[in-house]
Amino acid sequence: MPLKVTQDENLNLNLTPMIDVVFLLVIFFMVATKFSESERNIELELPQVAAAGDAAAPAKPRNITVTADGATLLDGVEVTLGKLTSTLAEAVRTTSDVQVVINGDARTPFQAVAAALAACREARVEDLGITVELAAKAGGRLR
């Protein structure tokens, strides 16, 4: 069965949706320009600080290391648990954002790491992390 192809001589392209989109874009850019002009015209006196580095510098984390024999080191210096708690509590009192990272040896008894965690909790340290190492996978199982 042959198909009849007829050409419509009155082919019209509907421009209404395109005109709507153009008007919406014009309105958007007009409004956006008004906002940016009003923000630029606001007279504002910014507060001043003594040194820019003091306000913006992130806090350096304190490192607690628990060795294989159970010794506790704070930033490389051996301390007792009581001294660890008092030092961290003093740091929390003087600075609000004390960060602590605990590095525990895999061969140490967990009790030593738990004691360091308890000292941090007693000193009210809120930003606390523990370092671990990813184990190598062998045949789908961790060694």
Side-chain angles (χ1 to χ4, degrees):
M1 178 185 276
L3 295 175
K4 286 188 173 183
V5 177
T6 60
Q7 290 185 349
D8 190 9
E9 293 179 16
N10 296 330
L11 183 63
N12 292 330
L13 183 62
N14 190 359
L15 296 178
T16 306
M18 186 176 67
I19 293 171
D20 288 345
V21 169
V22 170
F23 280 137
L24 287 174
L25 287 173
V26 167
I27 291 171
F28 171 77
F29 286 120
M30 286 174 39
V31 170
T33 304
K34 286 290 184 187
F35 282 141
S36 64
E37 284 177 10
S38 66
E39 288 175 359
R40 276 186 266 151
N41 293 333
I42 295 174
E43 291 185 24
L44 193 66
E45 184 177 333
L46 296 175
Q48 298 177 355
V49 294
D54 293 343
K60 181 183 175 199
R62 306 290 303 261
N63 289 315
I64 298 174
T65 305
V66 181
T67 61
D69 59 353
T72 305
L73 290 84
L74 177 62
D75 295 328
V77 179
E78 189 168 351
V79 293
T80 63
L81 290 175
K83 178 70 174 165
L84 175 66
T85 304
S86 63
T87 304
L88 291 176
E90 181 63 30
V92 168
R93 273 193 291 275
T94 58
T95 358
S96 62
D97 61 339
V98 175
Q99 299 174 350
V100 175
V101 176
I102 298 179
N103 306 307
D105 193 297
R107 298 166 296 191
T108 190
F110 183 72
Q111 182 60 44
V113 177
L117 287 168
C120 291
R121 182 175 182 197
E122 189 176 334
R124 300 198 185 279
V125 173
E126 294 180 1
D127 194 356
L128 180 65
I130 298 177
T131 57
V132 294
E133 185 176 303
L134 291 177
K137 292 184 179 180
R141 293 186 168 191
L142 296 177
R143 285 190 231 164

